[in-house]
Amino acid sequence: MEHAPDFRRTLLNPRFDTHETVLEERRAPLSFAMPYGTRISEYEQVLLYAQPNPDWIPGGLGVGGWATAFPGGRGAWENYTTEAKTTDWFVFRDPEGRWQRPYVSEKADEWREIQRLITTTATRRSYRGIDPEWTGKVLCGHLGALALHDYGMFMALAAPTRDCLVDTLRAAIVATALDHLDNAQMIQAEKVFLAQVSDQATAEIAPSKALWLEDDTWAQARRVVEEIWGPTYDHIEILFAMHVIHEPLFGRFVRDEFLMQAAPLHGDLFTPRILGYAARGAEAAHAWIMELFARTLGGDPKFGPYNRTLMHFWAEKWLPLSLGAMTGAAKLGSATARLRRGDGAFDAQAAQRRVCDDWLDRFGLLFDKPIDIHGALRKASVQAREEAA
């Protein structure tokens, strides 16, 4: 395939890119998926048992539109739910092959590890070294606001879960949505634990909710979540906005660059381990997001150039919003007296530049034209200063 991305897939067989006849040209009442490997995998056996098809089986699932159509005749699955186009939605595979059984097994392992972490932290009383101001203001305030942010991301994926046009993509979206819900629950579990062992901590949601709804630090992030969750109806655009733009920029800045770096400065070795699971979920999402946007859509032999132009349009739409959210979150750098004194030298601007550089390295290949993300970051910073004045 001419525009196939140059990255290694752990599950997929690259030979598939050259010899497979697109399903749309093999119109038949029943179709069997071409496996990526020499034999069909367990992942494919489970997920390809029934595939809603947006084009030639009205209503999808091969049973006719009458059974699943909405009042007025609108079909259950049709191409108009997205501006993105492909000759064959069926080529999509999650490179990690996540479906319910391995996903549940992975999550069970993670929560058992967290339980062991909490038990060890409690018995060795290693929580006593955490800066009380960090516990009260950041862990029980801003970290809780991040949990509300992740819950909003989880809810925003409800529509793509329903509207997407192939079950392999649906399974990937569901797993990622549950990752966001799990992120929020892990944060709340940390707050509950700290409230049991520290007088400065509370498990109450109200302080974090007040920050999420009223504090300037989170105002732009809340706007992004509301824009994705509310007025955005294109399910592929929602996935692009969340996992090509927002999470790799805002999510990485807040989690990796601030919380995971600043926590040890305040004697907190607990939070980075909790947030490590969120980073794992983000990387799992990145794997299938690149499969979707680089290969399935951007590498499509007929619609690839159109899709790459569409993605560039979406990037120009969503980058200012998420960069504005990242600029707003830079206020976290003065959340405690230790940070305001410069202890540990958290440099928000340098962190933002690193995040933007990494974003270009990971996602720049999706676009035919260059993206001036640093210019967009400067505009967002200027706008933030003007609004603050």
Side-chain angles (χ1 to χ4, degrees), residues 5-10 95:
D6 183 19
F7 66 92
R8 185 174 181 82
R9 300 188 297 271
T10 57

Side-chain angles (χ1 to χ4, degrees), residues 176-388:
T176 297
L178 291 175
D179 281 342
H180 284 294
L181 180 62
D182 212 41
N183 297 344
Q185 292 178 349
M186 287 185 182
I187 290 173
Q188 184 62 18
E190 178 181 352
K191 289 177 60 181
V192 169
F193 166 66
L194 291 174
Q196 294 169 352
V197 298
S198 172
D199 293 336
Q200 289 79 33
T202 175
E204 294 294 329
I205 299 174
S208 298
K209 185 176 180 180
L211 289 171
W212 174 246
L213 294 178
E214 301 169 7
D215 195 277
D216 290 343
T217 305
W218 297 95
Q220 293 299 316
R222 189 178 69 253
R223 181 188 173 192
V224 174
V225 173
E226 291 172 348
E227 287 289 326
I228 295 175
W229 189 352
T232 305
Y233 290 95
D234 187 318
H235 62 279
I236 299 297
E237 182 182 358
I238 291 174
L239 300 177
F240 183 90
M242 289 179 66
H243 294 293
V244 175
I245 303 294
H246 188 63
E247 180 59 31
L249 293 172
F250 174 81
R252 185 164 182 179
F253 175 76
V254 173
R255 291 190 186 89
D256 295 24
E257 294 290 342
F258 175 67
L259 289 167
M260 296 176 74
Q261 301 298 324
L265 302 176
H266 297 80
D268 176 14
L269 303 179
F270 191 79
T271 301
R273 296 188 63 179
I274 293 292
L275 295 179
Y277 297 107
R280 153 62 189 155
E283 287 306 301
H286 178 263
W288 69 260
I289 280 292
M290 295 306 292
E291 177 68 12
L292 174 63
F293 288 104
R295 179 174 180 270
T296 305
L297 298 176
D300 187 272
K302 180 177 180 181
F303 298 109
Y306 163 82
N307 287 325
R308 290 192 293 277
T309 300
L310 178 64
M311 286 188 278
H312 195 278
F313 171 78
W314 283 341
E316 290 184 333
K317 173 183 176 182
W318 290 101
L319 271 176
L321 296 176
S322 287
L323 291 173
M326 193 165 70
T327 302
K331 298 183 179 69
L332 291 169
S334 59
T336 67
R338 186 187 300 268
L339 290 170
R340 288 191 292 275
R341 289 196 303 269
D343 295 356
F346 173 74
D347 187 335
Q349 292 184 348
Q352 290 171 347
R353 289 194 294 272
R354 283 196 298 272
V355 169
C356 290
D357 288 340
D358 289 346
W359 185 88
L360 280 176
D361 288 341
R362 306 193 88 186
F363 296 100
L365 59 86
L366 295 179
F367 310 101
D368 288 335
K369 295 184 291 185
I371 299 287
D372 184 12
I373 190 170
H374 290 287
L377 177 61
R378 286 192 293 272
K379 290 180 181 177
S381 299
V382 170
Q383 184 175 356
R385 286 196 296 270
E386 291 176 351
E387 292 176 354

